[in-house]
Amino acid sequence: MNVIIEELEGIARKVRQNIIKMIGTNKTGHLGGGCSIVEMLVALYFYKIRHDPKDPMMKERDRVVLSKGHAAIAHYATLAEAGYFPKEEINNFKKLGCILQGHPDIKVPGVEANTGSLGQGLSIACGIAAGLKMDKIDARVYCIMGDGEVAEGQIWEAAVTASFYKLDNLRGIIDKNGFQASGRIEECFNTNPLREKWEAFGWHVLEVDGHDIRQIIEVLDKADEVKGKPVLIIAHTVKGKGISFAENKATFHHAKLEEEEYAIALKELNE
């Protein structure tokens, strides 16, 4: 297990390097919310889910829906490491005509849904999970949301739906980094307490340090033991994790890197 964790931590470092390179010094990108979900994405794609980069539409695959679509940069960086498309493609991020645009698009191999308008991803994930059950396909759906995003009413409509239909093949993951675009959750639109609300909506709730690979692996496996109801995983994270000058700062929700910042970030991730 220790070897697996070390390997995943190494992949997470490469994913963050990819994120920095994609933003560079001449583009803007969602650095903060991208870096806060890296370990969760790495644990999913390199440990947990059933998938095949050579056959992205494999019928029995597990699905990952990125509801907080502004963090697409982290998803792309992970898919590149997993082999869904040539890694060199990340150099074309946000270029006109490139498949890797600012928000998820199903033209990208491995992307399950177009998202970006916050609040819609869980509804999409519910529909996919229900369809899998109807077709008797033993596959799971993982939906990654932001703690600011759950202020959207559609999230709660989907939460009730998932509970009512007992979608125990559905895993909601909330990236609880404590920030939304304009500041701290508590100061802008307080969505807390999360555990009590989701439990009241009929979900089984688990919590985890969203940057501890060992804990993430354990909680993803533990979620599989729950039957008859959907599972929500609250991942406690740090916005901008791994980039010292960006950690816990709303200013790096969507930002451009100066040349000095770019150099510092790559240096830190190479140490």
Side-chain angles (χ1 to χ4, degrees):
M1 177 62 80
N2 289 336
V3 174
I4 293 174
I5 291 171
E6 288 180 10
E7 290 177 354
L8 295 180
E9 289 173 343
I11 295 171
R13 187 161 49 251
K14 291 179 182 178
V15 168
R16 283 195 173 86
Q17 291 169 351
N18 289 346
I19 290 173
I20 296 301
K21 291 174 182 177
M22 290 166 79
I23 296 175
T25 57
N26 60 348
K27 303 171 188 172
T28 57
H30 288 87
L31 176 64
C35 285
S36 60
I37 62 170
V38 168
E39 281 77 14
M40 187 61 71
L41 285 170
V42 168
L44 286 171
Y45 280 93
F46 292 90
Y47 169 76
K48 187 60 182 175
I49 70 171
R50 178 173 48 195
H51 68 115
D52 184 358
K54 295 179 181 179
D55 184 12
M57 300 304 290
M58 180 178 70
K59 186 177 180 180
E60 298 81 11
R61 73 191 184 279
D62 294 322
R63 277 77 164 172
V64 176
V65 175
L66 184 64
S67 189
K68 49 172 287 180
H70 55 282
I73 191 169
H75 200 189
Y76 299 156
T78 305
L79 292 172
E81 286 297 324
Y84 275 86
F85 48 81
K87 195 170 178 179
E88 295 74 26
E89 188 68 26
I90 67 174
N91 299 321
N92 297 320
F93 177 60
K94 280 190 173 181
K95 286 185 179 178
L96 187 63
C98 172
I99 61 171
L100 305 181
Q101 292 301 311
H103 287 78
D105 191 301
I106 56 174
K107 290 194 294 290
V108 180
V111 171
E112 297 288 349
N114 290 16
T115 58
S117 182
L118 293 176
Q120 297 181 353
L122 189 59
S123 293
I124 296 170
C126 281
I128 296 173
L132 290 170
K133 277 187 170 290
M134 292 173 68
D135 291 339
K136 298 185 179 355
I137 297 174
D138 182 23
R140 301 182 182 93
V141 184
Y142 296 83
C143 180
I144 302 176
M145 301 166 276
D147 53 348
E149 178 185 8
V150 298
E152 298 283 352
Q154 187 171 347
I155 290 288
W156 300 103
E157 294 177 25
V160 172
T161 300
S163 175
F164 179 80
Y165 288 106
K166 298 179 172 57
L167 299 180
D168 53 7
N169 58 340
L170 176 63
R171 311 279 184 268
I173 300 170
I174 292 183
D175 175 27
K176 195 177 189 301
N177 62 35
F179 285 84
Q180 57 172 261
S182 53
R184 291 187 178 276
I185 295 294
E186 291 84 354
E187 298 169 356
C188 297
F189 195 108
N190 195 352
T191 56
N192 297 307
L194 294 176
R195 172 182 279 275
E196 291 83 351
K197 289 175 181 176
W198 286 84
E199 287 178 339
F201 275 68
W203 289 57
H204 185 88
V205 180
L206 301 168
E207 298 193 51
V208 67
D209 178 339
H211 300 302
D212 187 314
I213 293 288
R214 184 183 297 274
Q215 285 191 33
I216 294 171
I217 286 175
E218 291 174 352
V219 82
L220 288 173
D221 287 344
K222 189 174 182 180
D224 295 341
E225 301 172 6
V226 178
K227 305 300 178 185
K229 61 169 60 177
V231 177
L232 180 80
I233 298 171
I234 300 173
H236 297 271
T237 63
V238 175
K239 197 175 183 86
K241 176 68 174 179
I243 317 299
S244 61
F245 57 82
E247 290 188 354
N248 286 319
K249 292 185 179 177
T251 50
F252 284 92
H253 174 82
H254 185 251
K256 179 180 178 181
L257 294 175
E258 301 297 333
E259 290 187 6
E260 183 179 0
E261 292 172 331
Y262 180 78
I264 290 173
L266 287 182
K267 182 176 183 297
E268 290 179 344
L269 293 172
N270 281 311
E271 290 178 345

